[in-house]
Amino acid sequence: MHEQSLITDTLNKYFGNLATQVLHAVHVQPYNPKAPITETFAMEMLVLGLLFIFFVLVRLSLNVENPGPIQQIAEMLHGFVSDQADSIIGHGSQRFVMFTTCVLLFVLLSNLLGMVPGLLAPTSVATVPLGVALLCFFYYHFYGVRENGLGYFKQFAGPIWWIAPMMVPIELISHFARIMSLTVRLYANMFAGEMVTLVFFSLIPIGIPIVFMGLHLGVALIQAYIFMLLTMIYVSQAVAHDH
């Protein structure tokens, strides 16, 4: 069991009563009424806060003639995501760059948070990857309908009308399986990375754990990239006009 951090204790101290009232208002009983804000939720709030600060700093430091380090990082990030979107989604891909960038940054920062002593990676708890996966699921379906109208649902029936009764359930299962795929891939890798790093730090506190920290960093980067990449692929399939 991961011990609560100072951040979680502080949030519960100042906002615990409000959180309990909100949960009761929607008929949800908190596991611990005295500390309704969980470590996972607190870490998510920390990630969102850090991203908000980053975006504000980027906005305040914008300079065409003399871009600063933060602006250069933001431009490199935007260029990287834009290039990926152009190659995967194609025409009109810039509309989806903002969302996929936010997905990449949220997942990446959540993954990296576990490398900070005393903090928990939110993505090592299954509900967080599930929430992001559901958001991506509804996002690409929304744009699929927006781009193709009700004709979007023709893809579920397949190209031949008489095999539609067989194709529809197969397609539905495959789409819902994407939620499970995104969730399990991210959760399993981050949970395993957290556990391995924690075990080796407890056994051998110096030397060898640094190797596993490096592996943890690599997994965090790769999993964030894969999550963004799969989201782009799903969007490209949804907005295509050749269903």
Side-chain angles (χ1 to χ4, degrees), residues 120-214:
L120 172 72
T123 43
S124 66
V125 179
T127 52
V128 176
L130 175 60
V132 183
L134 285 171
L135 181 63
C136 296
F137 177 81
F138 289 114
Y139 179 84
Y140 81 77
H141 279 304
F142 171 79
Y143 273 97
V145 174
R146 183 173 179 178
E147 287 294 313
N148 299 284
L150 295 179
Y152 169 69
F153 296 104
K154 291 181 180 179
Q155 65 170 301
F156 295 95
I160 305 175
W161 67 268
W162 53 269
I163 64 171
M166 181 178 64
M167 290 297 299
V168 169
I170 292 175
E171 286 292 327
L172 289 175
I173 292 172
S174 69
H175 277 272
F176 282 107
R178 293 176 178 179
I179 301 175
M180 184 65 68
S181 174
L182 289 172
T183 301
V184 173
R185 180 185 291 107
L186 179 57
Y187 161 67
N189 279 279
M190 298 315 302
F191 179 77
E194 288 259 308
M195 291 299 101
V196 170
T197 303
L198 181 62
V199 167
F200 274 90
F201 261 112
S202 62
L203 294 176
I204 311 172
I206 301 175
I208 292 180
I210 297 177
V211 176
F212 289 94
M213 290 290 285

Side-chain angles (χ1 to χ4, degrees), residues 5-238:
S5 64
L6 179 61
I7 297 173
T8 307
D9 291 337
T10 303
L11 288 176
N12 277 307
K13 180 179 179 180
Y14 292 102
F15 302 103
N17 290 333
L18 177 61
T20 300
Q21 293 174 9
V22 171
L23 290 173
H24 284 162
V26 294
H27 305 289
V28 174
Q29 180 62 35
Y31 179 76
N32 184 359
K34 294 183 179 179
I37 299 176
T38 64
E39 180 76 2
T40 305
F41 183 79
M43 293 301 100
E44 288 184 274
M45 291 297 100
L46 176 60
V47 170
L48 291 176
L50 292 174
L51 290 177
F52 178 77
I53 293 172
F54 173 71
F55 291 137
V56 169
L57 291 177
V58 170
R59 180 64 184 86
L60 294 177
S61 64
L62 288 180
N63 190 315
V64 177
E65 297 180 355
N66 186 27
I70 295 180
Q71 181 178 342
Q72 291 177 359
I73 293 173
E75 289 177 351
M76 289 173 58
L77 179 65
H78 177 76
F80 171 74
V81 178
S82 294
D83 290 343
Q84 295 295 311
D86 287 339
S87 62
I88 295 173
I89 303 175
H91 178 70
S93 62
Q94 293 304 308
R95 293 173 298 164
F96 311 108
V97 169
M98 181 174 65
F99 177 80
T100 50
T101 300
C102 289
V103 168
L104 174 66
L105 289 178
F106 178 82
V107 173
L108 177 59
L109 195 54
S110 296
N111 292 347
L112 295 177
L113 211 59
M115 299 182 65
V116 180
L119 298 183
L120 172 72
T123 43
S124 66
V125 179
T127 52
V128 176
L130 175 60
V132 183
L134 285 171
L135 181 63
C136 296
F137 177 81
F138 289 114
Y139 179 84
Y140 81 77
H141 279 304
F142 171 79
Y143 273 97
V145 174
R146 183 173 179 178
E147 287 294 313
N148 299 284
L150 295 179
Y152 169 69
F153 296 104
K154 291 181 180 179
Q155 65 170 301
F156 295 95
I160 305 175
W161 67 268
W162 53 269
I163 64 171
M166 181 178 64
M167 290 297 299
V168 169
I170 292 175
E171 286 292 327
L172 289 175
I173 292 172
S174 69
H175 277 272
F176 282 107
R178 293 176 178 179
I179 301 175
M180 184 65 68
S181 174
L182 289 172
T183 301
V184 173
R185 180 185 291 107
L186 179 57
Y187 161 67
N189 279 279
M190 298 315 302
F191 179 77
E194 288 259 308
M195 291 299 101
V196 170
T197 303
L198 181 62
V199 167
F200 274 90
F201 261 112
S202 62
L203 294 176
I204 311 172
I206 301 175
I208 292 180
I210 297 177
V211 176
F212 289 94
M213 290 290 285
L215 293 174
H216 189 99
L217 174 62
V219 171
L221 294 170
I222 292 172
Q223 290 304 316
Y225 173 70
I226 291 175
F227 207 104
M228 179 200 71
L229 197 66
L230 289 175
T231 301
M232 287 183 177
I233 292 173
Y234 298 154
V235 169
S236 69
Q237 293 173 348

